Amino acid sequence: MNSDIEGLGAVEIATAVRAGRLSAVRIAGAALTRIERLNGSLNAFRVVLPERVLAEAAAVDQALRSGVDPGPLAGVPYGLKDLFDVEGLPTAAGSKIGVEGPPATRDAVLAARMRAAGAVLLGVQVMDEYAYGFTTQNAHFGTVANPHDPERTAGGSSGGSAAAVAAGLGALALASDTNGSIRVPASFCGLFGLKPTFGRLPRTGSFPFVFDLDHLGPLARSVGDLALAYDALQGYDAGDPACVDRPAEPVGLEFASTPLRVGVLGGWFHDMAAGAARDAVAAAAEALKARKRAELHGAEAVRSAAFLITAASGANLHRRNLAERPQDFDPATRGRLLAGALLPADAVIQAQRVRRRVYEEALGLFGDFDLLLAPATPVPAPRHDESTIELAGQSVATRPNLGALTQPISAIGLPVLAAPMQAGSGLPIGVQLIAPPWREDLAFAAAARLEAAGLSHSKAVGP
Amino acid sequence: MADDTAHDLALVLSLAEVFGPPIQPTHLDEVVAAWRLMRPHLDRVRAADLACTEEPAALFRP
């Protein structure tokens, strides 16, 4: 009955709803039906909000009947990672402690902007506890399955959000990325994901992880859908001290076709990538006419800096609960937070110094290149029980290394768009399109070229 | 290897005693494992060839 509309993207839905060809209520009903059918096996949503869904969709249809433009995301169903405030719900952030807390009194700023743009909120999505993980295996709320292969991880920490969009349980999701939590699940689930420049999108009303590294951004199945969401989200908000007061710079849906000087990141980004990841980068490089290699010599050091800052900041954030109710933490999170509390201040200050140095090194690369290209993950999605992976001829632990290629980029705040490619195995794997600060438009332009070439594509999977 | 583990366990306990929060005996293995994972990153950052007069990135944003 709904098969004609279940896989539609955000641009298609908004265009059809605004033109009166589809009602937002019908789109919303189809999304709820699909969630009812698939969420049991995927575990993507922790909470679904059918009453709110239908009320928001009805408001969109009513606006249209009244001659009011409901906005660029009219009737587009989407989900929120479980760390955005949603009025009336406790903000769990994947934790038992959070779910026992008081309900939020208002929506997060980005959720409010989505609503103002006409989008319809489906519910909140499963994540690693406190966003500290890359596999979304949550002791309290279960493991998220990858829609491409349920025996494999969807990635993390935004695993529920990525699995939902990949399976067509909504056209979009909003998520967070501190060390790679948008880009890793985008890579494993075959999606486009954007981690904007640090300070671009306000985090007001979202549960923090690492104040100095937290970014918010969208996940989508096409470049156009990602751009539509990103443009609706932009704008300053004084509630986030890190948000930079600069005007919105919409990327639109017509992307620049001027030549791009693209450098392929070598060194760490080559050595820590297995064959499928290297093949994906080579295919993207060919399409983008990227012939030159670029070296970010500080990549490994700044990844280590991110590792320490994350552990120390996370420990500081949760210190009281770690002391008073440690038994209520996910064991996968607790040990790392407690260990983070033991780090000397000297090391954390030095880690911040490393960030500054490597940021300056990266800015130097943009004198020669408009964009940098790198794998998003070392491998395609591992199986849930795959405890080691082969990298650089060595067997290394899976979980700590899934973010090895994303951490160096978020640590220095550069905008990066993860674009899905195909691995030889048939599983998706992502590449990172890394731009200079505030030049998200360049990453969109490159992603659009990969998509137009048929290399980078995504569609809703599942029955 | 067993000596390393014993050393790390002793180190973690002594650090926790000073800096806390306290570690429950049932959680010790997790913390030692996390510490061992973190240690190479700590060593790498400390070994970075940077002058202490270089400005770090900072949280404060005026």
Side-chain angles (χ1 to χ4, degrees):
Chain A
M1 180 114 167
N2 291 318
S3 59
D4 56 327
I5 58 173
E6 282 189 2
L8 293 180
V11 172
E12 295 166 301
I13 291 170
T15 302
V17 168
R18 293 172 97 183
R21 294 197 304 273
L22 274 175
S23 79
V25 166
R26 183 171 173 224
I27 294 285
L32 289 172
T33 302
R34 190 166 175 85
I35 290 172
E36 195 174 329
R37 194 164 76 236
L38 296 179
N39 195 52
S41 57
L42 292 173
N43 192 36
F45 280 86
R46 185 177 72 76
V47 178
V48 182
L49 301 163
E51 288 180 15
R52 177 167 170 164
V53 171
L54 295 173
E56 288 188 359
V60 168
D61 290 336
Q62 179 58 44
L64 276 165
R65 282 194 295 272
S66 306
V68 176
D69 183 354
L73 292 170
V76 174
Y78 81 103
L80 289 170
K81 185 176 180 174
D82 188 17
L83 49 63
F84 288 85
D85 286 351
V86 174
E87 184 180 354
L89 291 182
T91 307
S95 71
K96 177 177 186 287
I97 293 168
V99 86
E100 292 172 358
T105 54
R106 65 174 68 175
D107 288 353
V109 162
L110 292 192
R113 288 180 182 175
M114 291 292 280
R115 188 174 193 166
V120 173
L121 177 63
L122 295 169
V124 296
Q125 296 158 330
V126 179
M127 56 183 280
D128 285 293
E129 187 183 57
Y130 295 127
Y132 208 173
F134 287 121
T135 54
T136 317
Q137 292 168 306
N138 185 309
H140 315 298
F141 305 114
T143 295
V144 174
N146 189 320
H148 292 268
D149 179 349
E151 298 302 314
R152 294 178 184 274
T153 176
S157 62
S158 314
S161 304
V165 178
L169 310 185
L172 299 168
L174 299 191
S176 68
D177 187 317
T178 302
N179 284 295
S181 287
I182 286 175
R183 292 162 289 158
V184 170
S187 177
F188 290 167
C189 291
L191 298 174
F192 295 89
L194 178 69
K195 184 208 77 61
T197 309
F198 183 77
R200 170 76 85 178
L201 298 183
R203 305 167 299 181
T204 319
S206 65
F207 193 86
F209 178 18
V210 181
F211 294 103
D212 221 14
L213 300 174
D214 291 343
H215 305 70
L216 304 178
L219 287 156
R221 294 191 299 271
S222 74
V223 179
D225 286 4
L226 195 74
L228 201 62
Y230 172 55
D231 284 352
L233 296 171
Q234 288 191 54
Y236 175 68
D237 182 78
D240 176 1
C243 189
V244 176
D245 188 2
R246 57 187 288 138
E249 295 168 289
V251 295
L253 293 174
E254 301 293 327
F255 305 105
S257 56
T258 49
L260 291 169
R261 300 170 303 157
V262 181
V264 181
L265 281 174
W268 174 257
F269 296 94
H270 179 80
D271 297 342
M272 290 299 286
R278 292 180 184 178
D279 291 347
V281 167
E286 181 67 24
L288 296 172
K289 299 182 173 56
R291 312 268 186 246
K292 291 185 179 174
R293 192 168 264 226
E295 298 290 342
L296 186 64
H297 299 286
E300 186 177 14
V302 82
R303 187 234 177 175
S304 288
F307 208 98
L308 299 188
I309 293 165
T310 298
S313 298
N316 172 267
L317 181 66
H318 297 291
R319 187 179 181 90
R320 183 171 178 176
N321 285 330
L322 287 166
E324 294 179 357
R325 46 191 300 193
Q327 72 283 359
D328 290 334
F329 282 75
D330 185 329
T333 310
R334 180 175 53 217
R336 287 177 293 163
L337 291 174
L338 284 166
L342 311 181
L343 280 170
D346 165 72
V348 179
I349 292 171
Q350 179 77 342
Q352 294 286 17
R353 188 171 282 126
V354 170
R355 286 180 69 209
R356 173 68 62 96
R357 172 69 77 86
V358 179
Y359 175 68
E360 287 167 0
E361 187 197 349
L363 290 188
L365 291 177
F366 291 117
D368 296 323
F369 301 106
D370 300 310
L371 209 64
L372 301 169
L373 174 66
T377 50
V379 291
R383 292 187 308 278
H384 294 297
D385 60 354
E386 204 169 331
S387 58
T388 60
I389 51 175
E390 289 288 322
L391 288 180
Q394 288 190 318
S395 180
V396 299
T398 303
R399 290 172 72 152
N401 286 297
L402 294 179
L405 305 173
T406 51
Q407 282 178 291
I409 308 304
S410 34
I412 55 176
L414 300 177
V416 48
L417 195 159
M421 307 285 286
Q422 287 295 312
S425 61
L427 291 170
I429 187 165
V431 295
Q432 296 185 89
L433 301 162
I434 305 155
W438 313 112
R439 294 305 307 271
E440 286 85 352
D441 60 305
L442 296 175
F444 273 96
R449 283 172 213 188
L450 295 178
E451 187 178 52
L455 288 172
S456 203
H457 54 83
S458 180
K459 63 176 184 178
V461 295
Chain B
M1 195 66 179
D3 285 348
D4 287 349
T5 303
H7 174 268
D8 287 342
L9 178 60
L11 182 63
V12 160
L13 283 171
S14 62
L15 286 169
E17 188 176 333
V18 179
F19 299 116
I23 300 170
Q24 303 298 318
T26 48
H27 303 152
L28 259 176
D29 287 350
E30 294 165 12
V31 185
V32 171
W35 177 264
R36 292 171 76 101
L37 195 64
M38 198 161 58
R39 186 61 192 262
H41 298 289
L42 179 61
D43 293 342
R44 189 172 298 114
V45 165
R46 281 191 147 157
D49 183 20
L50 298 170
C52 60
T53 50
E54 281 194 39
E55 178 87 7
L59 269 175
F60 180 65
R61 302 169 191 95

